[in-house]
Amino acid sequence: MTEINGKTLLLGIFGDPVGHSLSPVMQNAALAAAGIDAVYVPFHVKPACLADAVASIRALNLVGVSVTVPHKELIIPYLDELDDGAALIGAVNTVVNREGRLIGYNTDAPGFLTSLQRDLQFDPQGKEVVVLGAGGACRAAVSALAGHGAARIVIANRTEGKAALIAREMSDHFQTTEFVVANLTQSSLKGALSAADLLVNTTSVGLAGESFPGHIVGGLSGRASVYDMVYAASLTPLTQAAREKNLPWADGRGMLVAQGEEAFIRWFGLKPVDGVMHAQVVEK
Ligand code: ATR
């Protein structure tokens, strides 16, 4: 880490909780490797303090912040400007302070795309994808996939109505992608799974070791890939199931790294040194 002096710049992450976040080690390693005189720290911001915390970005002249649960949607009204991608997704994970103007970005979507390419060599162009879940992470995944030419996206959620809302909004935006809505039952998902090139889990299922019903990975053909936004020290239940079926799989570590690299680029206008953030996430 940099030796702190009178010119050291400050940035960090707003979350509640925040203690589990790997972003401080990732970002500080990238700052050191790039020779940037700045430090990145965790800020435990309770929801009731979010407005004050955002005002402090300006007051303390922070370079910017990362934003995590539960603030990604709630922070939007306090910002001065929203990037188009963040507006479509309705969530911000990166704030840049441009001389007191706070601009909100969502780097989860480009981070997801980078990870798909890097970790699965997967290009969404013309592909059929089943996305599990209908929260902010689903919106990031769907906008990234549709924005890169996916032919058909099936949004499958336990509560089907939430999937329908996302499908309606996204189909207004991306006219060449077909959007379909499903729930998680075998009868609803069967055809979509057998036709899928990619299955993406955007829910928190697996975080505490819980699994989806076996028909989900069981319904995929032998040419599908599996992407689990959840990550754990070892395999997640979903990536374990994919591995048992000999399907290419990746977990959320690649997306964590790539969204962090994209945030760094927005704060400092340069790419972090290759592999530095990745090494922190894999070693921790
Ligand atoms: P995020 O913004 O991180 O995507 P979220 O908005 O809380 O998080 O969304 C969580 C998603 O995970 C939802 O789609 C939720 O399904 P419901 O809409 O039916 O609540 C899904 N989810 C969470 N726990 C689940 C479980 N045990 N089984 C199936 N889906 C689950």
Side-chain angles (χ1 to χ4, degrees):
M1 198 193 286
T2 187
E3 192 166 308
I4 296 171
N5 61 74
K7 295 197 181 106
T8 303
L9 300 171
L10 185 61
L11 61 163
I13 178 165
F14 287 179
D16 176 29
V18 75
H20 64 287
S21 174
L22 294 172
S23 293
V25 288
M26 250 173 39
Q27 295 292 349
N28 284 310
L31 289 167
I36 297 174
D37 183 7
V39 286
Y40 181 108
V41 296
F43 293 110
H44 188 175
V45 175
K46 299 271 189 196
C49 299
L50 183 60
D52 287 345
V54 174
S56 76
I57 300 173
R58 295 189 195 89
L60 302 175
N61 195 29
L62 306 189
V63 175
V65 291
S66 305
V67 183
T68 188
V69 178
H71 304 310
K72 287 184 171 186
E73 284 105 12
L74 299 170
I75 200 167
I76 291 176
Y78 304 116
L79 303 176
D80 300 311
E81 202 179 312
L82 208 51
D83 160 78
D84 287 347
L88 177 64
I89 296 163
V92 161
N93 76 335
T94 303
V95 175
V96 178
N97 179 5
R98 294 219 192 287
E99 290 164 4
R101 262 188 90 65
L102 302 184
I103 306 161
Y105 294 90
N106 188 306
T107 69
D108 286 332
F112 172 58
L113 266 182
T114 299
S115 178
L116 275 182
Q117 281 152 5
R118 230 185 236 167
D119 303 322
L120 286 174
Q121 291 75 52
F122 186 90
D123 175 0
Q125 183 67 42
K127 301 292 198 324
E128 302 209 9
V129 185
V130 174
V131 178
L132 306 175
C138 164
R139 298 175 69 96
V142 168
S143 70
L145 292 162
H148 281 74
R152 188 168 194 261
I153 300 177
V154 179
I155 307 175
N157 195 44
R158 181 175 60 182
T159 314
E160 207 171 317
K162 283 204 227 166
L165 277 177
I166 298 179
R168 201 171 315 139
E169 262 180 65
M170 293 289 172
S171 58
D172 285 345
H173 215 88
F174 299 105
Q175 271 116 28
T176 57
T177 301
E178 181 192 354
F179 292 91
V180 179
V181 173
N183 58 46
L184 300 179
T185 61
Q186 185 162 17
S187 56
S188 181
L189 266 180
K190 204 169 168 211
L193 287 168
S194 61
D197 300 295
L198 176 70
L199 173 71
V200 184
N201 174 33
T202 72
T203 76
S204 52
V205 172
L207 204 55
E210 68 281 45
S211 321
F212 284 108
H215 72 82
I216 293 195
V217 171
L220 294 169
S221 76
R223 66 184 166 77
S225 298
V226 173
Y227 195 98
D228 192 355
M229 284 193 187
V230 170
Y231 57 88
S234 54
L235 286 171
T236 66
L238 187 63
T239 56
Q240 171 80 38
R243 193 170 78 159
E244 281 163 14
K245 203 174 153 137
N246 281 323
L247 302 178
W249 58 269
D251 67 25
R253 284 173 300 178
M255 180 170 162
L256 172 72
V257 167
Q259 65 75 31
E261 291 170 340
E262 294 283 344
F264 188 99
I265 291 169
R266 282 158 185 75
W267 292 319
F268 298 106
L270 70 143
K271 269 184 66 172
V273 175
D274 265 353
V276 169
M277 291 200 193
H278 183 262
Q280 294 300 319
V281 168
V282 172
E283 284 161 20
K284 299 288 152 176

